[in-house]
Structure formats: structure tokens, C-alpha cells
Amino acid sequence: MLILMCVGTVGYRLLCGLSWLDSMYFTVITVGYREVGELNAAGKIFTMAFLFSGVGVLAYAVSAGLELLLDDQNRGYLINLFRRRRSQFMDNHYIICGMGRVGRAVCQELAESETPFVVIDSILSEEAVLGFEYGYASNDPNTLVIWEAQFGDFANGAQVLIDQFIASGEVKWGRVNGLTLMLPHGYEGQGPEHSSARLERFMQLSADTNMQVVQPTTASQIFHVLRRQMIRPLRKPLIIMTPKSLLRNKDATSPLAEFTKGGFQTVIADHGELKVDKVKRVIVCSGKVYYDLAKKREEKGAEDVAILRVEQLYPFPHKAFAAELKKYPHVTDIVWCQDEPQNQGAWFFVQHYIHENMAAGQKLGYAGRAASASPAVGYAHLHQDQQKALIDAAFGRLKGFALQK
């Protein structure tokens, strides 16, 4: 059974399996458990119904016996000749219907299985809804339960549940839980209340392999991390820093082959045409800032800079990260670049992980916003100035605090 709880507003960008489009696209793909390395008792073939909406994430195997319930707090509204549920970044277009008719759950009709696909509305009360979902996920580990905040910032309203149950429930009570949180996160000039899902709080709470904290940057990555959450023989809370502007970023699309093959990549290698023996600097980042960095590198023609994406921040993927660093034997500088202020984001938590995998003589520096009491500035022009400065700093001389191996 799959349950999606959403507290959200309008998200209207939709993704097809090949490109980012402002339209609805459904793909039904038949995949064998044998082909993907996950074999059930009968080795059956199952059909995955992909409904890409928002950032292109919600692609779920309804007909594989997973029951799906979408819970959205907003009221329906009229658009053209159809009525659809008003929803959040990642969960639009699940219910559509003609004027005056009862809505239809489209994924349910795509699936050959009789497993229910239910879409309901929920109240805008983060603590109450998240508490219910934690209990549901705890009671039924075979259900993928997803709660999406309106913006990641709004998870503040459920901080008690996160601290006392999600982060520590297994250690305190031995109760496993596979609850998934989707928290829209990204610095895009929307101000201090709509920019940060408080990644640093989840990183601080991470220990004893108690949960997973990820920040996927492509459509296929989001699909695979959700699929991994269900097919794994274990249950851990999954915290996803979901993107916002990437809904409209064509560079973040995934070819269909990336959905049908492979799996979730904890670290994404540099795909640029670089000569490894000429690379002197490696920029390490997580999230949408990668696309700003890649654009800047192309503008500068910086062929001596490689960019690595850490898609899973906890548990930190030491083996995968070390393997990528070793590809560049002549690197002298490593820079961690982030959108968030220095006292926020992942910097204070990943620096020792990166340092552990560095070679002798290498230096680790920081490129990002200065420490701040507020998550973000309130003026768009200040945001743009800060963003430009941190991207420039990632390619400039190391300044301020630097760790040396």
C-alpha cells in the first residue's frame, strides 16, 4: 500500500519521462524483478504506472500491489473544462474530472491491479497529519507513506514529531518506520519562510544509521530513491529535500532509460568531458546549486574543475565518494559549495566526511552564504547578489576557514 500525505498549494509544472513539460504525461513500463535485481517469491513481472507531476517524482508501482492514497489539504478549483485538486509541487493532476462529476484517480485506471488508489484532502496542520502518518507507517511497514510539506520550512510545525519519533523512535523503542518526508527546499529568492527545509536540523539528528537524508537532482533519482524505499528489506525514515525550480529546468530531465535501468546514485560523477590529469579542483555540492555551478564552469571554460553531486547526505556514501575523488590524482583544492548560510545546510556535518576521504596535501574550503540568523534574505536583488558571489567563490581562491589533510 502506498499513501501520500500532502499539505500544499498549487504546483503546476508536470514532467514526462523524457523532458520537463507543462503538461500531463503518463508512462506505463513493464519491468521484471529479475531484471532489476529484486526478486519476489514468484519472480513475477509487474507494471509500474508512472505519473510525473511537479518535479516528476511521483511514479509509483500501483499494480505491484501497492495501494496509493494521496492526501492533499487544498480545495479543488476550476481550470478550463476540468476540475483538478489543488495541490503541491509534486502531486498535481492525480484527480481530474469533468464539470460536476466525481473525480477520477488517474493512476488507478492506468494500473491493471485492483489495488486502490485514493486521493483525499487533509487539513493544514503539520503536527497532526505527520503524527498520523508516523503511526500508519509504523503499523504497516509494507505501506509507503509519504508526507509532503507545503514548503520545507513548514515542517517546523511538526518538529516535535521529527525529534521525538521519526529521528529517535527506533533507538528508543525498537520500532522501525519507513515514513518518507518530501520537503521542498531551495534558495530561489522566495524569502526566509519559503527557502529552507532546515537541512541542518535533519543532519544534526542523523546518527546510528537512524534515517536517510537525500537531495536528488534529477527526475530518475527521485523515482529510484522512492522505489528503493519500498524494495529494501529494511525500513528507515527517508527525508527528501525536494526541488522547486528544477520543475522547469530542462537540464534536470532524465531519459526514459534511466528509469528502467540502474538505481539510486548516492554520488553522481562529473559528466563533463574533462581530462582527469588536468583537474586541479573538485567542487562538491548537493541540490540545485549544481546546475548554477555547471553553467558557470561552461561560461568560464574551466576545464581544470570537476563537480561532484552528493545525492545522499546521510548515511554519507564514503565508498562512492572516495572512488570519485580518486579519479582526479592531481587535485589540490576541494570546495564544498551550498546555497544555505554557513551555519545552516550540510557544511558543518559533511566537512569531516569529506576530510576523511581526502589525500595528503589537499585543502578543503567553503563557498556559500555567510552565517545568518535568518534562512534567507527578503529582497530578490540581495538574493541574486549572494548567489552570484557564492558561485564565483567556488571557482576562486580559497578564503577563510580551510581544512588541510
Side-chain angles (χ1 to χ4, degrees):
M1 180 178 180
L2 175 65
I3 290 186
L4 170 64
M5 292 294 293
C6 167
V7 178
T9 53
V10 181
Y12 63 95
R13 288 298 194 262
L14 304 175
L15 173 66
C16 78
L18 299 176
S19 62
W20 297 90
L21 298 176
D22 292 338
S23 62
M24 187 163 45
Y25 189 91
F26 305 97
T27 306
V28 177
I29 299 176
T30 300
V31 183
Y33 275 92
R34 295 181 187 274
E35 296 174 7
V36 295
E38 297 296 335
L39 180 63
N40 67 357
K44 296 187 300 183
I45 300 296
F46 68 98
T47 301
M48 306 200 84
F50 291 162
L51 170 57
F52 297 103
S53 67
V55 75
V57 55
L58 300 179
Y60 301 123
V62 176
S63 61
L66 300 178
E67 186 174 322
L68 196 150
L69 167 65
L70 168 64
D71 195 330
D72 176 22
Q73 61 102 117
N74 288 288
R75 300 174 62 183
Y77 66 97
L78 303 183
I79 179 168
N80 296 330
L81 296 179
F82 292 90
R83 185 172 74 244
R84 60 180 179 177
R85 300 273 183 174
R86 187 176 184 183
S87 56
Q88 184 47 27
F89 291 101
M90 319 257 284
D91 53 23
N92 212 354
H93 299 282
Y94 288 107
I95 291 288
I96 60 174
C97 62
M99 295 290 292
R101 298 182 182 179
V102 177
R104 295 183 291 112
V106 199
C107 269
Q108 179 66 61
E109 299 185 10
L110 285 175
E112 296 177 359
S113 170
E114 295 182 357
T115 303
F117 177 101
V118 183
V119 183
I120 64 175
D121 292 333
S122 68
I123 59 174
L124 185 55
S125 176
E126 290 81 2
E127 184 172 14
V129 176
L130 189 58
F132 175 85
E133 294 311 332
Y134 176 84
Y136 204 117
S138 179
N139 186 65
D140 185 0
N142 293 322
T143 296
L144 176 58
V145 182
I146 303 175
W147 177 77
E148 184 187 18
Q150 183 176 19
F151 283 85
D153 315 60
F154 297 176
N156 285 344
Q159 197 64 46
V160 172
L161 269 301
I162 295 169
D163 291 347
Q164 297 191 4
F165 292 85
I166 295 174
S168 57
E170 183 177 359
V171 173
K172 292 190 294 188
W173 308 309
R175 293 287 293 176
V176 298
N177 195 291
L179 178 64
T180 296
L181 273 62
M182 286 183 173
L183 307 177
H185 175 82
Y187 280 65
E188 296 158 6
Q190 294 180 289
E193 314 306 336
H194 295 83
S195 296
S196 176
R198 292 293 190 175
L199 171 60
E200 63 278 0
R201 292 182 180 173
F202 293 97
M203 296 299 292
Q204 183 186 40
L205 292 170
S206 297
D208 301 322
T209 321
N210 62 332
M211 58 186 176
Q212 310 152 86
V213 182
V214 302
Q215 191 163 202
T217 55
T218 69
S220 60
Q221 280 285 90
I222 297 177
F223 166 72
H224 282 298
V225 77
L226 288 174
R227 184 175 181 277
R228 183 184 75 169
Q229 183 72 349
M230 281 304 290
I231 64 176
R232 273 181 162 179
L234 56 87
R235 291 293 178 262
K236 297 284 184 179
L238 173 62
I239 314 301
I240 308 178
M241 300 286 123
T242 53
K244 296 179 292 186
S245 66
L246 296 190
L247 275 66
R248 304 176 298 277
N249 191 327
K250 293 182 178 180
D251 294 333
T253 61
S254 298
L256 198 56
E258 291 186 5
F259 291 91
T260 59
K261 299 179 181 179
F264 180 68
Q265 302 176 70
T266 55
V267 177
I268 297 183
D270 193 312
H271 297 315
E273 298 179 358
L274 301 175
K275 295 182 179 179
V276 295
D277 58 335
K278 291 186 177 181
V279 173
K280 303 297 182 183
R281 170 172 293 196
V282 171
I283 299 176
V284 185
C285 65
S286 184
K288 80 165 193 68
V289 71
Y290 162 76
Y291 295 99
D292 296 332
L293 292 167
K295 182 180 179 181
K296 184 67 173 182
R297 181 177 63 177
E298 183 179 357
E299 292 174 354
K300 291 175 63 69
E303 299 180 352
D304 60 343
V305 177
I307 305 174
L308 301 181
R309 279 176 277 178
V310 179
E311 302 277 289
Q312 178 173 292
L313 292 162
Y314 188 84
F316 191 83
H318 286 281
K319 290 184 178 179
F321 183 73
E324 292 302 323
L325 272 187
K326 289 178 180 178
K327 292 180 180 179
Y328 309 104
H330 302 299
V331 166
T332 57
D333 295 341
I334 299 174
V335 177
W336 172 262
C337 183
Q338 66 178 36
D339 284 324
E340 301 90 351
Q342 189 172 18
N343 60 321
Q344 300 171 37
W347 166 238
F348 285 148
F349 306 95
V350 300
Q351 59 181 245
H352 59 284
Y353 295 142
I354 297 174
H355 185 264
E356 182 179 334
N357 292 285
M358 288 164 50
Q362 291 179 337
K363 293 182 180 180
L364 171 62
Y366 167 81
R369 287 176 166 83
S372 172
S374 172
V377 295
Y379 293 98
H381 70 91
L382 290 179
H383 162 78
Q384 293 167 1
D385 291 345
Q386 289 180 347
Q387 195 71 14
K388 181 180 182 302
L390 72 89
I391 297 300
D392 289 341
F395 292 88
R397 296 181 58 185
L398 296 183
K399 295 181 180 179
F401 176 80
L403 283 171
Q404 184 166 359
K405 186 75 170 184

